[in-house]
Structures are given as structure tokens and as C-alpha cells.
Amino acid sequence: AQSVAQPEDQVNVAEGNPLTVKCTYSVSGNPYLFWYVQYPNRGLQFLLKYITGDNLVKGSYGFEAEFNKSQTSFHLKKPSALVSDSALYFCAVRSGGYNKLIFGAGTRLAVHP
Amino acid sequence: DTAVSQTPKYLVTQMGNDKSIKCEQNLGHDTMYWYKQDSKKFLKIMFSYNNKELIINETVPNRFSPKSPDKAHLNLHINSLELGDSAVYFCASSRGLASADTQYFGPGTRLTVL
């Protein structure tokens, strides 16, 4: 069965420092991977996705993610964190033929001034 | 312009009542979804419709009945509400079922059952 794991409940970063939010996956076949962000009391916003091609995927708000097949990882990164990046981040993998998304448990990112 | 909208935003009701949540998308998408986010923020798919046809039903109690009157709308009706139904319900839509088709989410409906 397809699954994703986000090993960190929370990540704390100082503003201006690089950030990484980790995600590992388990799939049979080709992985289709997504990152979403949820701000307080808001819906999920799409950040980026990996379908095929370049291992480094660029997305919204300066975020990028690196697909690593050998490590079955899809970590979310940003070179310089902003306080406004503080939110809940979800990694997801597509499962099956009907575009069902399986979400990780989420990682809360806190960026401190 | 709101791409995926849901009404109401908040819903507070008593156990045993019946309630509905509505979802509309103006993206011209063929596929719509309902997800449930529990108190621990865990997100799980409930249903999916493609061209008004039910294609995913994730072992949800039959008190939950989705209805898609057209491709732009997917409503969720819940009968005999229970305390455990308290959650945030998100609607989403995608262009179709292709692997590259991104799902876009609505703002959510926070349901509280007392």
C-alpha cells in the first residue's frame, strides 16, 4: 500500500535560515508526490509536485523539493525562511488509478524572528 | 474569484441531527473530492466523483451520502450526526484523474457536533 511518513511533528527555524521539512514515501510503481501547506483556519494550498523528470522541483513561495529515489524521500526546502512560512505542511502521495491522495501526518513549521 | 468554495464555513449542531455541506468549483474540473481532517490534523479521503459518478468510497459510514448534481458541485449530507463526526471537512477538485492532475482544496467546513 502507498504511504508517506513525515518524521517530524514540528520544525523550528530562525528567520533567514534554510529550512527542510522531511517526507519519505513507500509506493509500488512510479511515485507521484505532492506538498501542500495549511495556514491556520485555512484550506490546503498546493505548493509543488513531482510527477517525472528533474529531481529538483520548484514550487510556490520560493519552496522547492528534492526527489530522491534511492532514499525514497521528497524533502521540502527553502533557502531562506520567513516568519510568514509558519504553517502546517503536508506531504502526499497519489495512490491507485483514481487520483486518491494519501497524506502524511503533517509537520508544523515555526519560523522565529 | 474563489476556485473551490464551501458552505457553510462553520456548522454547530446537536447529535442526531441531519446536516449538509455544499461545495462548488468554478475551475471547470471533472473530478471532485471530500476529505475529513480530524482533531489531530490527519487528512483522509472520503469520497470522489468523476463526471458525477462515484469512484472512491473509503469505507465511510452510510450515514454520509455525497451527491453530485453536476460536475461543478459536490454536496455532502450527513444523517444522524455523532460526536465523532466533529471535524473539518474539505472539498477538493482536479481537472481529471491523470497522475499530473493537482487537487485544489476549498477553505473547509468546521463541523462541531454537541
Side-chain angles (χ1 to χ4, degrees), chain B residues 11 16 33 35 55 61 69 75 84-85 94 96 102 105 113:
Chain B
L11 187 52
Y33 312 80
Y35 286 85
I55 56 170
N75 304 322
D85 298 331
S94 65
T102 300
F105 284 75
V113 182

Side-chain angles (χ1 to χ4, degrees), chain B residues 31-42:
Chain B
T31 311
M32 296 184 73
Y33 312 80
W34 278 112
Y35 286 85
K36 179 180 180 181
Q37 186 176 45
D38 64 21
S39 58
K40 295 185 177 179
K41 304 297 184 184
F42 186 67

Side-chain angles (χ1 to χ4, degrees), chain B residues 72-113:
Chain B
H73 296 84
L74 180 61
N75 304 322
L76 183 65
H77 187 77
I78 315 170
N79 289 326
S80 303
L81 279 155
E82 300 177 357
L83 293 176
D85 298 331
S86 295
V88 181
Y89 293 85
F90 288 103
C91 178
S93 74
S94 65
R95 185 173 55 182
L97 297 173
S99 56
D101 287 342
T102 300
Q103 293 183 30
Y104 295 94
F105 284 75
T109 296
R110 182 176 295 277
L111 171 64
T112 302
V113 182

